Amino acid sequence: SKLRKNKSTDYIQANYLNEEYSKDFTHGEISKRSKDDYKNNEQNTNDADVLLVVDIHNISWKSYYSPVQDEHLVNGYPTYHQYIALNKLSLCIEYIFENHKNKKLCLVFSQDEYCENKKKLFPEYKSGRNKECRKYMVETKDGFTEKEVNPVNDTSKALSFLPHCKISIPTKDAETDDIIATFCKRYSEKEIYIESSDKDLWQLRSKSVHLIYSENPLTILTKDIVLKKFYNKDNRLIPLIKTLIGDASDKLVGVSRFPRKLIKQFSYDNYKGKIKKGLSYVRAIAQTDSVKQKIDKDFDRLVKLHSIVKLNKHLSIKEEYIEGDYSSFKKFLKKRKIKQPRILTLWILG
């Protein structure tokens, strides 16, 4: 959802490049420094051998909902989720360094806007996803005041001082999934790791694009994992499969009681990203008339649904380079009583 600038926080503002979308938007509390500290620097990404793309929303909420024994309050406000997010990032960096020695790494943070276009096609899309956060009595100069935790802002702030980083920003309405998909296409010649548990991003898996899930132990997406979730090893078929079986987490309804055994027969050559071709193929191999009738009845709706579940790799995005500030990073951690992750520190220091 959109973040608005208010008296209690200081957001870095960025403008849409397209004049048609002249409204301002914010991409989280990336820093309290001035916008002049951020500059476009394509050379930073081009020089890197390996790119680690981090879904800020995903890692923020994962960290916030992680089971903890101690909430670690500082002046009444929790900081455990910032600590967990930094450690998740450290696990990814450690894995990349072990498998890509003497390689230059660049981090790319991606954070989305509220996507109105998809909501227009399917008003029920991602409905009921308002996540509730606990409120705390926080000590301030004027006494105690009630404050609600904002995991995305907190994590963004914790990551704002890291060097060798970029922020990918959409120029129009876009979701993080589509932003990351566009970024992967833009740098298709590089080795890319995506830190996210979002299964929509599984579509991007390839020889050079790896999905990494920063739990301990760290998990790398494999064909067997794709098979277990989507009944077929070929992750390129995921948009077609999700169109047919729906997605309960996003409130998207597919074909009622679609037979999962049929999905095992799917072949990408009979789909190739074209939904009409894919539906015609599925209808041809369907063993019952009821499946064929359901596809015929919902054909137009399924075509619209496919446009939502298939990632858009052709967005207009810009990249802003973050000037790392290690001394500020140390002060930030000390103030919040967060222990520095060793691997992250070594990477920062080069």
Side-chain angles (χ1 to χ4, degrees), residues 27-39:
H27 49 79
E29 193 176 346
I30 297 300
S31 174
K32 288 194 175 183
R33 292 170 289 171
S34 68
K35 194 169 71 173
D36 294 334
D37 290 336
Y38 294 81
K39 61 182 179 180

Side-chain angles (χ1 to χ4, degrees), residues 94-342:
E94 183 175 17
Y95 176 84
I96 291 172
F97 282 167
E98 287 176 354
N99 290 273
H100 301 277
K101 294 182 179 179
N102 300 320
K103 299 289 186 179
K104 185 177 178 182
L105 173 66
C106 176
L107 264 67
V108 181
F109 302 118
S110 182
Q111 189 170 316
D112 63 357
E113 280 278 286
Y114 181 77
C115 192
E116 297 179 357
N117 294 330
K118 293 184 179 181
K119 291 286 286 185
K120 288 178 181 178
L121 286 174
F122 279 85
E124 65 274 21
Y125 178 58
K126 290 189 177 180
S127 59
R129 268 202 177 187
N130 295 328
K131 299 178 181 178
E132 294 184 1
C133 294
R134 291 181 60 185
K135 295 182 179 180
Y136 294 82
M137 295 303 295
V138 180
E139 185 178 1
T140 64
K141 295 179 180 179
D142 301 324
F144 286 89
T145 182
E146 190 177 60
K147 185 177 181 181
E148 186 178 46
V149 178
N150 191 324
V152 176
N153 279 354
D154 292 343
T155 303
S156 298
K157 189 172 182 179
L159 302 177
S160 66
F161 302 107
L162 299 178
H164 325 303
C165 299
K166 277 193 170 186
I167 308 165
S168 291
I169 305 170
T171 58
K172 295 182 181 180
D173 270 350
E175 288 191 296
T176 298
D177 303 348
D178 298 322
I179 299 170
I180 292 175
T182 301
F183 190 87
C184 289
K185 182 176 177 62
R186 179 179 291 183
Y187 296 100
S188 57
E189 77 284 356
K190 297 187 180 294
E191 202 80 13
I192 299 175
Y193 287 83
I194 302 172
E195 199 298 317
S196 180
S197 59
D198 190 341
K199 295 178 179 60
D200 291 330
L201 292 169
W202 290 11
Q203 303 172 38
L204 301 175
R205 182 184 177 274
S206 66
K207 289 183 179 179
S208 59
V209 178
H210 315 278
L211 278 295
I212 190 167
Y213 188 54
S214 57
E215 294 301 319
N216 199 356
L218 186 139
T219 303
I220 302 293
L221 181 67
T222 63
K223 288 185 177 181
D224 291 333
I225 298 176
V226 176
L227 173 64
K228 187 176 180 180
K229 176 64 181 177
F230 290 106
Y231 316 100
N232 194 301
K233 286 186 176 182
D234 195 339
N235 60 290
R236 296 175 298 175
L237 288 165
I238 289 177
L240 175 61
I241 296 170
K242 289 188 68 174
T243 299
L244 294 168
I245 67 175
D247 188 339
S249 63
D250 288 341
K251 305 292 184 183
L252 298 176
V253 180
V255 176
S256 176
R257 296 181 180 180
F258 187 84
R260 274 36 175 186
K261 291 182 179 180
L262 191 62
I263 297 175
K264 295 180 180 179
Q265 303 177 37
F266 288 4
S267 169
Y268 185 74
D269 291 335
N270 296 301
Y271 164 57
K272 291 190 174 180
K274 308 292 184 180
I275 184 57
K276 293 184 178 181
K277 181 178 181 178
L279 291 176
S280 299
Y281 164 68
V282 174
R283 191 184 182 284
I285 65 173
Q287 298 173 349
T288 61
D289 290 336
S290 63
V291 174
K292 296 178 182 179
Q293 291 171 2
K294 290 174 183 177
I295 291 175
D296 291 340
K297 181 182 177 181
D298 293 339
F299 192 87
D300 292 337
R301 185 182 66 84
L302 293 174
V303 171
K304 288 183 181 179
L305 179 58
H306 182 265
S307 67
I308 289 180
V309 298
K310 184 183 178 183
L311 297 181
N312 181 1
K313 300 180 181 180
H314 305 283
L315 290 178
S316 175
I317 61 172
K318 68 173 183 175
E319 301 164 29
E320 289 190 353
Y321 177 59
I322 303 177
E323 292 283 359
D325 186 347
Y326 182 56
S327 60
S328 298
F329 182 62
K330 288 195 296 183
K331 291 177 183 177
F332 170 85
L333 296 180
K334 184 177 180 181
K335 184 177 180 181
R336 286 156 183 79
K337 300 179 181 178
I338 298 175
K339 185 179 178 181
Q340 276 185 265
R342 176 178 170 273

